[in-house]
């Protein structure tokens, strides 16, 4: 992890297109501004983690439905064969 010190109105550049600017410092709270291309998603970490978990659950649910569909299809094929 890279750790940098910055003061109010100073910035950090990530690549050529992302600028992170320190807007204000008030006690233990720091306000930052982020300039990034519109096609780049920017989330707070806790929101990003929640999105990842929802995606994981959706994938699991989709896999569960696929397994159920396969089971039902197999049962129907067996029934048709009798």
């Amino acid at each position: 992890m890279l750790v940098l010190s910055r003061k109010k109105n100073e910035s950090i550049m990530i690549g050529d297109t992302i600028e992170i600017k320190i807007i204000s410092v008030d006690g233990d709270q720091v306000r930052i501004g982020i300039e990034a291309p519109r096609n780049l998603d920017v989330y707070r970490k806790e929101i990003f983690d929640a999105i990842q978990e929802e995606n994981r659950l959706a994938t699991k649910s989709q896999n569960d439905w696929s397994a159920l569909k396969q089971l039902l299809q197999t049962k129907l094929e067996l029934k048709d064969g009798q």
Side-chain angles (χ1 to χ4, degrees), residues 8-9 21-26 29-33:
K8 183 179 172 184
N9 295 322
K21 185 174 185 177
I22 306 304
I23 304 300
S24 67
V25 180
D26 186 18
Q29 187 173 23
V30 178
R31 294 187 65 203
I32 62 172

Side-chain angles (χ1 to χ4, degrees), residues 1-20:
M1 173 188 305
L2 174 64
V3 178
L4 300 171
S5 296
R6 299 279 76 199
K7 296 179 182 176
K8 183 179 172 184
N9 295 322
E10 292 182 335
S11 297
I12 298 167
M13 292 297 299
I14 300 175
D16 295 337
T17 58
I18 302 169
E19 180 179 6
I20 300 174

